[in-house]
Amino acid sequence: MPATATALDFFQLFVPDNCIQNMVTQTNMYAKKFQERFGSEEGWCPVTPQEMKAFLGFVISTSVHRCESVLSIWSSGFFSNRSIALKMSQSRFEKILKYFHIVAFRPSQGSNQGLYKIQPFLDSLQQSFSCTFRPSQTQVLHEPLIDEDPVFITTCTERDLRKRKKRKFSLWVRQCTSTGFICQISVHLKEGQGTDGLATLKNKPQLHSLVAKQLCQNISGKNAIIFTGPSITSLGLFSEFSKQDIYCCGLLSTRKSDCTGLPQSMLVCSSTPAQRGQSRVMMKGSMSLISWYNKGHFRFITNAYSPTKEGVIIKRKSGEIPCPLAVEAFAAHLSYICKYDDKYSKYFIFHKPNKTWQQVFWLSISIAINNAYILYKMSDAYAVKRYSRAQFGERLVRELLDLDDCSPTQ
C-alpha cells in the first residue's frame, strides 16, 4: 500500500466496493418484496452506494465512542455527534436499518443452513484475509473475547425496552501470534438444524477437532506451528495435522481435552511431591507429552519443539523458573494474544442487533477493521501519520461518510 493510502483504502481490502454494491442490491430487493407483501412505506426510496457507506460508518462509529445505541448520534445526550449526524437523518437511517440485508431471500440449495444470510460475505472476507496477508509461522486457534451476555436493543426506536440474551453462535479464529492479524474465522450456530448447528456435535469431543480442521485447511504443507487450548488439544488431531506438515503445541487438560491414546501414568499426579520447574517427558515418534510442575501440574503435547531443549518462564516475584522450550513458547505466544484481546476487543462495534446473522456481520466487520489497522501499522502510510487505533477508526468513519475534514479527534 502506498504512503498516501487512507483508512478507507485499508478497510476496502476486505470490504470492497463490489461487496457494498451487493448490500445495496440485496437491501433494495428485500425492501421491495417486504412492501409488496405488507404495503408500501411512505417516504422510502432505494438505497444508494453512498448511503450504504454512510450507514456502515454510523454503525462503526459505536466502536470508537462506545455508545450502546447508534441512535444516540442524533440525540441531545452525551453520545450525540452533530458533525456526522448531518450526513443522514435519523428517519432515513432507521429505514435502511429495517431493510438491511446481505442475502435477501433463502436460496433454493442449502436452505437448511442457518447462516445463509451472511455466508457469502463471510466467504468473501475469508478470501480477502488470505490474499492480503501472509502470517508468521506461529499461529493460535482460540475463541476471541466477545461479550457473552450483551444487551440487545429490541427495537430501533424504543430504547427502554431491552432484553438480555445469550449469543446463539460461537466464533473461533486462527490468529497470527506475531501481529494479531486474524487469518481465518469459523462461525457455528449453537442451535438449529443442519450441518452448521453445534447441536449435531453437542458434548462430543470431535466438535473442536472439526473446528480446528476447518481453520487450518489452508495451511497444509506450509510448516506452520499451531498453538491450541485444552478444548482443541488431542493426540488424534495433532497426529492428523502432522501428516499435513502442520506442527502443534497444545495445553492438555484431563477434564476438557480428549485424552484418547495418552498414557495414564502421565495424566495422574505422582505421589512424590514435585519441585517447581520439574518436568517429565514421554515420547512416541515425533510427538512428546510433557508434564511440568509450577504450583500445579501442566501438561502439553507437541511435535514442534524438542523436549530436551530447555527454556525459562520469567515471573515478576519468583524470577526465572526452568521449563521445557515448548512451555516457554506456548506461554509467550498465548500471552501476546491475550494482550491483543485486551487492546483491540474494546474497539469492537457496540451495536447489538437482535438477529443472529446481523450480530455475526457486525462482529466480522469489527475483525476486518482491526485487521485493516494492523496492515496500516506495517505500511508506509503509518510512517506519514501515526494514527492510534481509535484515531484510525474515527478517520474511517469520516471517510465512509465522505466528510471533507477527515482529521481525527486529538
Side-chain angles (χ1 to χ4, degrees):
M1 299 290 282
T4 54
T6 64
L8 183 58
D9 291 332
F10 285 96
F11 176 68
Q12 293 211 291
L13 289 172
F14 309 119
V15 187
D17 282 332
N18 64 337
C19 188
I20 292 174
Q21 181 59 53
N22 178 68
M23 296 176 197
V24 171
T25 304
Q26 296 296 322
T27 298
N28 289 333
M29 286 172 59
Y30 181 80
K32 182 180 178 182
K33 193 73 175 179
F34 184 93
Q35 293 179 34
E36 285 175 356
R37 184 175 180 183
F38 298 104
S40 60
E41 184 173 353
E42 186 179 350
W44 168 258
C45 59
V47 183
T48 65
Q50 291 74 22
E51 283 184 313
M52 185 57 70
K53 281 187 178 182
F55 172 78
L56 294 176
F58 281 123
V59 180
I60 290 170
S61 71
T62 64
S63 68
V64 181
H65 302 293
R66 303 302 292 160
C67 53
E68 60 184 19
S69 170
V70 66
L71 301 183
S72 300
I73 293 169
W74 292 273
S75 72
S76 56
F78 179 78
F79 291 110
S80 65
N81 193 332
R82 302 307 300 170
S83 64
I84 67 174
L86 297 175
K87 292 298 292 186
M88 184 184 292
S89 69
Q90 180 178 341
S91 172
R92 179 59 175 169
F93 176 85
E94 290 188 54
K95 282 183 171 63
I96 297 174
L97 183 63
K98 177 181 177 180
Y99 297 121
F100 177 69
H101 267 73
I102 306 295
V103 175
F105 307 111
R106 187 183 294 271
S108 55
Q109 296 181 346
S111 57
N112 289 329
Q113 293 184 352
L115 292 172
Y116 76 91
K117 285 192 174 183
I118 189 71
Q119 197 60 56
F121 177 77
L122 293 178
D123 293 341
S124 169
L125 207 59
Q126 301 278 26
Q127 182 67 23
S128 61
F129 286 171
S130 301
C131 292
T132 55
F133 181 76
R134 182 181 297 169
S136 67
Q137 184 186 29
T138 52
Q139 298 160 47
V140 64
L141 308 183
H142 72 117
E143 291 186 76
L145 187 63
I146 309 173
D147 187 4
E148 283 291 339
D149 193 16
V151 177
F152 296 107
I153 299 176
T154 55
T155 65
C156 296
T157 53
E158 300 173 10
R159 293 183 57 198
D160 295 328
L161 297 176
R162 294 171 184 174
K163 294 179 182 178
R164 282 195 170 271
K165 292 183 179 180
K166 292 287 187 182
R167 280 189 295 114
K168 294 182 179 179
F169 65 93
S170 291
L171 173 75
W172 287 272
V173 302
R174 175 167 55 84
Q175 191 168 14
C176 170
T177 63
S178 297
T179 61
F181 189 96
I182 290 179
C183 310
Q184 193 165 356
I185 59 178
S186 179
V187 183
H188 293 265
L189 298 180
K190 292 182 177 178
E191 301 173 357
Q193 307 299 317
T195 55
D196 60 342
L198 289 183
T200 57
L201 293 171
K202 193 175 182 180
N203 297 325
K204 295 181 179 179
Q206 66 263 38
L207 167 61
H208 291 125
S209 177
L210 172 66
V211 170
K213 291 173 187 175
Q214 290 176 345
L215 290 172
C216 295
Q217 59 188 351
N218 296 330
I219 58 172
S220 177
K222 296 183 178 179
N223 293 313
I225 299 176
I226 299 298
F227 294 91
T228 63
S231 61
I232 294 179
T233 302
S234 73
L235 179 61
L237 176 66
F238 283 14
S239 299
E240 194 170 331
F241 277 166
S242 184
K243 296 173 184 176
Q244 304 172 35
D245 289 335
I246 300 173
Y247 299 94
C248 308
C249 181
L251 179 63
L252 189 72
S253 165
T254 53
R255 187 169 55 90
K256 295 182 180 180
S257 305
D258 178 8
C259 297
T260 306
L262 298 175
Q264 191 65 25
S265 60
M266 292 288 285
L267 302 178
V268 296
C269 301
S270 60
S271 52
T272 14
Q275 294 182 353
R276 198 170 186 185
Q278 187 177 345
S279 61
R280 291 188 298 150
V281 178
M282 288 190 73
M283 293 186 66
K284 184 177 182 181
S286 62
M287 206 69 68
S288 306
L289 175 58
I290 300 168
S291 177
W292 177 67
Y293 183 81
N294 179 28
K295 293 185 178 179
H297 288 277
F298 295 87
R299 299 172 180 87
F300 298 84
I301 305 179
T302 183
N303 62 346
Y305 298 94
S306 167
T308 60
K309 290 189 176 180
E310 290 293 321
V312 289
I313 299 288
I314 301 175
K315 296 287 185 181
R316 186 177 298 172
K317 294 182 179 179
S318 312
E320 294 185 353
I321 305 169
C323 66
L325 182 61
V327 178
E328 180 187 349
F330 184 90
H333 292 297
L334 266 291
S335 66
Y336 178 85
I337 296 302
C338 291
K339 288 178 183 176
Y340 173 90
D341 280 346
D342 292 341
K343 189 174 183 180
Y344 290 140
S345 62
K346 62 177 177 288
Y347 293 113
F348 276 11
I349 290 169
F350 212 54
H351 171 66
K352 305 293 184 192
N354 247 348
K355 295 179 181 178
T356 299
W357 73 265
Q358 291 185 1
Q359 296 164 27
V360 175
F361 173 77
W362 294 117
L363 180 60
S364 59
I365 287 287
S366 299
I367 291 173
I369 295 171
N370 279 352
N371 278 354
Y373 180 66
I374 289 167
L375 294 188
Y376 160 73
K377 285 195 73 173
M378 294 191 292
S379 74
D380 293 336
Y382 184 69
V384 178
K385 292 185 177 178
R386 301 171 69 89
Y387 292 124
S388 67
R389 173 61 182 83
Q391 289 174 328
F392 182 86
E394 192 164 332
R395 185 174 180 85
L396 174 61
V397 169
R398 298 182 72 84
E399 289 172 7
L400 284 168
L401 269 63
D402 195 23
L403 295 173
D404 293 332
D405 177 21
C406 290
S407 59
T409 301
Q410 296 299 324

